[in-house]
């Protein structure tokens, strides 16, 4: 993720990050040595319309699983990234327990970080 650039570039330049809270992790070992990095989860929260075409929503990746929640149409999508890197097969109906678990975790993270809430613009035209 782009958040990883800051700590990675600091490390590669031999600089230390002083007393800053950052979201990213140093991935220099991945770049320099091809080692994998361990990350429990990653999540995104974009409660607004975005120039890329992304509608207001959030997502969480945990292990091989990725859940997307879209606020405009109140839907979720679930993907297994190990088996479906292109995110073409929505598994939310096949694995409802996993979808519910990830959605619950996503909402816990949003609450713990006092994330902005969503207010849908009903006049928005796609």
């Amino acid at each position: 993720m782009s958040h990883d650039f800051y700590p990675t570039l600091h490390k590669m330049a031999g600089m230390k990050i002083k007393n800053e809270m950052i979201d990213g992790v140093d991935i220099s070992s991945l770049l320099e040595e091809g080692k994998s990095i361990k990350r429990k989860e990653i999540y995104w929260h974009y409660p607004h319309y975005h120039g890329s075409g992304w509608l207001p929503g959030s997502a969480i990746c945990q292990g091989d699983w990725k859940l997307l929640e879209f606020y405009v149409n109140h839907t979720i999508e679930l993907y297994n990234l190990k088996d479906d890197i292109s995110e073409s097969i929505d598994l939310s109906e096949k694995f409802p327990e996993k979808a519910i678990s990830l959605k619950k975790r996503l909402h816990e993270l949003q609450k713990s970080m006092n994330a902005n809430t969503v207010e849908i613009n009903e006049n928005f035209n796609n």
Side-chain angles (χ1 to χ4, degrees):
M1 292 189 66
S2 60
H3 296 353
D4 298 332
F5 295 158
Y6 184 73
T8 302
L9 293 173
H10 270 76
K11 168 77 182 226
M12 294 175 87
M15 300 169 64
K16 293 188 185 221
I17 298 172
K18 298 179 183 178
N19 302 322
E20 294 180 46
M21 254 185 97
I22 56 171
D23 291 330
V25 297
D26 170 22
I27 59 168
S28 58
S29 63
L30 173 70
L31 298 172
E32 296 174 336
E33 304 161 26
K35 293 181 179 178
S36 63
I37 59 171
K38 300 276 185 198
R39 193 180 300 211
K40 183 179 177 184
E41 57 196 9
I42 302 172
Y43 86 100
W44 300 260
H45 180 62
Y46 291 97
H48 55 274
Y49 296 96
H50 192 273
S52 69
W54 173 265
L55 298 176
S58 297
I60 184 168
C61 286
Q62 192 180 75
D64 295 333
W65 295 97
K66 180 177 181 181
L67 178 98
L68 303 168
E69 180 177 19
F70 297 101
Y71 302 127
V72 173
N73 54 11
H74 307 288
T75 61
I76 60 169
E77 296 174 5
L78 178 69
Y79 300 100
N80 184 302
L81 299 178
K82 182 179 178 188
D83 299 331
D84 179 21
I85 192 99
S86 64
E87 299 177 22
S88 59
I89 304 168
D90 178 5
L91 299 172
S92 59
E93 290 185 19
K94 187 173 182 180
F95 297 99
E97 305 85 19
K98 188 58 159 175
I100 290 167
S101 170
L102 286 173
K103 185 176 176 182
K104 180 181 177 192
R105 177 65 181 143
L106 181 61
H107 291 180
E108 288 170 355
L109 286 165
Q110 291 167 339
K111 185 175 181 181
S112 74
M113 295 182 186
N114 197 26
N116 292 337
T117 56
V118 175
E119 192 171 313
I120 301 302
N121 178 355
E122 301 297 336
N123 297 316
F124 178 77
N125 282 323
N126 239 350

